[in-house]
């Protein structure tokens, strides 16, 4: 259950890709080839911190052709809740970790006649894999990549070598802005747009797409949102008969896992719907931070996504 | 004896103008013209960006085409038959750009063909706005001989190609724009339930 099958891996290479991003290469401990995945997929990495297991989702950059390794990229975030700090500070070559099976919530639409890939900062990781798949299948595509400056070097060099002038760069330090209204006009019918990056950028790009008359079916995004922090509260599982406290810096899902509950998840970012739970009683106000529930779901007060949403109040009783 | 509603049965939500579309590409057949009139009458801004294709089909003689022309859309293409309409649409789709919203109104068979054509040009069927008007007649493919029979209004019916007695299922193929017809008396040949008019 929970995230499904876990695969033990060993870190075999660490590379400082940019000033703030490290790339990690994982090899299977068993020696068995790692499963193939479609581009846009992510895995959840389980990190054994001193007091708890930290679980963070990271997009897969690529897989060695023989299945001997996967690569992920991890941004060092200043407001890290532990995951990125753990990867940057505690993990060395030889460290053993566990990862979940790859899951793809951001797949390419192969029926599309053209693909616009748009990345901001660390959002390049799934886009990198998608661009590679499009290149291999000889599809029509463009890559638009916004970054602070070219100290984002490693990704740029590899992308340039593989994709030539299909890659367009936008550098903050040159006051170059990625303007969606410059990209969208005159794209052929059947084009699809994919965006991954900071939340504000995703919103702006998607809104630009709608403004240009693109149907929702052609607009795709992936956000890896860290669970928002808040005030502590109590949670009780009616069926399991378990009660525990959710700390302010902890998500509901994390608190349940710490209490030994094997709760289901896939994305841990409020996007996939896997962690949905039924609310029996809420002594306080539900704070929904997901991108999954509909307005009607929210208004009903009967559902909550464990990975990112919380209670502002005293106690939450779930039908689990 | 209509099979219980199956998920593949398409849902037609009705024509609704997409205010953000840069271009409106509208295909209508027969009574579908009335749905187009409902959507576009008085919408001058949208009409200035609209291309209409119309085949009168079974509604010839009712002057629907003249009413559509009177809307004075940016482009109006009256066409004699469904196949000629589909050919013209194909040419337009080849050079269409994103920001074009596709609408289709008419019989189920016509809607299915337009949606399938749009899909072949990379358009997600969900993003095509559809309205069913006119006869409920179905286009049915015989699963045995693969022959298509148009305008099926009753089930079971006799396949126009191989002559088997076919029961019309609710199973719908988007690619073919057709429902499935399955032999109704395969086990006991000749044991055929009475035909019911279902799709007038
Ligand atoms: S795990 Fe995906 S929405 Fe919570």
């Amino acid at each position: 259950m929970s995230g499904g099958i876990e695969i033990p891996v060993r870190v075999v290479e660490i590379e400082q890709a940019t000033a703030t991003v490290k790339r990690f290469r994982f090899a299977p401990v068993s020696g068995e080839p790692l499963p193939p995945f479609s581009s846009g997929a992510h895995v959840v990495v389980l990190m054994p911190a001193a007091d708890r297991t930290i679980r963070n989702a990271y997009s897969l950059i690529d897989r060695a052709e023989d299945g001997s390794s996967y690569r992920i990229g991890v941004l060092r975030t200043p407001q890290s809740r532990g995951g990125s700090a753990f990867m940057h500070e505690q993990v060395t070559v030889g460290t053993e970790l566990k990862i979940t099976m790859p899951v793809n919530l951001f797949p390419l639409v192969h029926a599309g006649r053209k693909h616009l890939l748009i990345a901001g900062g660390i959002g390049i990781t799934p886009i990198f894999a998608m661009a590679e798949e499009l290149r291999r299948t000889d599809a029509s595509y463009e890559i638009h990549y916004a970054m602070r400056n070219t100290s984002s070097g490693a990704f740029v060099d590899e992308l340039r070598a593989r994709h030539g002038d299909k890659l367009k760069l936008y550098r903050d330090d040159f006051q170059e802005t990625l303007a969606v209204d410059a990209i969208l006009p005159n794209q052929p019918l059947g084009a699809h747009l994919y965006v991954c990056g900071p939340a504000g950028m995703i919103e702006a790009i998607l809104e630009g797409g709608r403004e240009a008359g693109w149907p929702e079916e052609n607009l795709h995004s992936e956000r890896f949102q860290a669970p928002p922090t808040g005030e502590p509260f109590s949670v009780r599982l009616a069926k399991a008969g378990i009660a525990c406290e959710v700390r302010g810096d902890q998500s509901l899902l994390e608190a349940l896992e710490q209490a030994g509950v094997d709760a289901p998840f896939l994305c841990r970012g409020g996007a996939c719907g896997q962690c949905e739970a039924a609310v029996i009683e809420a002594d306080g106000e539900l704070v929904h931070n997901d991108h999954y529930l509909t307005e009607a779901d929210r208004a009903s007060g009967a559902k909550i996504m464990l990975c990112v949403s919380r209670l502002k109040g005293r106690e939450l009783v779930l039908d689990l | 004896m209509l099979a219980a509603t199956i998920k593949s049965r398409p849902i037609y939500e009705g024509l609704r103008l997409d205010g953000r579309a840069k271009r409106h590409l509208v295909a209508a057949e027969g009574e579908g013209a009335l749905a187009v009139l409902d959507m576009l009458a008085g919408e001058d801004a949208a009409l200035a960006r609209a291309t209409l294709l119309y085949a009168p089909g079974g509604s010839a003689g009712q002057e629907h085409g003249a009413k559509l022309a009177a809307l004075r859309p940016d482009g109006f293409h009256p066409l004699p038959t469904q196949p000629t309409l589909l050919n013209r649409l194909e040419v337009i789709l080849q050079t269409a750009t994103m920001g074009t919203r596709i609408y289709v109104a008419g019989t189920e068979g016509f809607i299915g063909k337009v949606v399938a054509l749009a899909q072949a040009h990379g358009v997600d069927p969900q993003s095509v706005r559809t309205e069913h008007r006119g006869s409920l007649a179905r286009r049915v493919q015989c699963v045995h001989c693969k022959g298509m029979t148009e305008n099926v209004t009753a089930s079971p019916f006799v396949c126009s190609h191989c002559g088997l007695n076919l029961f019309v299922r609710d199973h719908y193929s988007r690619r073919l724009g057709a429902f499935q017809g399955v032999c109704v008396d395969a086990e006991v040949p000749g044991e055929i339930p009475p035909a019911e008019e279902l799709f007038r």
Side-chain angles (χ1 to χ4, degrees), chain A residues 253 264-275 305-307:
Chain A
L253 181 61
F265 66 84
L266 284 180
C267 70
R268 303 183 78 90
C272 72
Q274 188 74 11
C275 67
M305 309 310 293
L306 300 179
C307 62

Side-chain angles (χ1 to χ4, degrees), chain B residues 123-164:
Chain B
V123 177
D124 189 308
Q126 299 289 333
S127 64
V128 179
R129 301 203 170 165
T130 57
E131 182 158 336
H132 181 231
R133 290 276 180 122
S135 161
L136 289 167
R138 291 181 173 187
R139 169 175 150 93
V140 182
Q141 184 185 44
C142 171
V143 302
H144 311 284
C145 78
K146 307 297 174 207
M148 290 285 183
T149 304
E150 304 277 346
N151 289 318
V152 175
T153 56
S155 178
F157 74 103
V158 177
C159 174
S160 59
H161 300 262
C162 68
L164 282 177

Side-chain angles (χ1 to χ4, degrees), chain B residues 31 61 105:
Chain B
E31 299 297 298

Side-chain angles (χ1 to χ4, degrees), chain A residues 72-87:
Chain A
I72 64 163
V74 180
L75 171 70
R76 173 83 218 237
T77 49
Q79 67 290 28
S80 169
R81 294 166 53 263
S84 79
F86 185 95
M87 290 301 292

Side-chain angles (χ1 to χ4, degrees), chain B residues 41-123:
Chain B
E43 298 283 352
D44 292 342
L47 283 162
R49 288 178 281 148
T51 303
L52 263 54
L53 293 86
Y54 181 62
S59 305
Q62 293 192 42
E63 302 303 317
H64 293 332
K67 283 184 219 141
L68 289 177
L71 290 174
R72 309 182 58 81
D74 183 47
F76 180 59
H77 306 274
L79 293 149
T81 60
Q82 279 192 27
T84 51
L85 185 153
L86 293 169
N87 282 341
R88 180 64 61 89
L89 182 62
E90 162 96 60
V91 172
I92 295 174
L93 289 173
Q94 274 166 15
T95 53
T97 54
M98 288 301 291
T100 304
R101 175 67 73 171
I102 300 171
Y103 308 81
V104 51
T107 58
E108 200 153 28
F110 177 72
I111 293 173
K113 285 181 219 165
V114 169
V115 171
L117 184 58
Q119 196 174 7
H121 288 266
V123 177

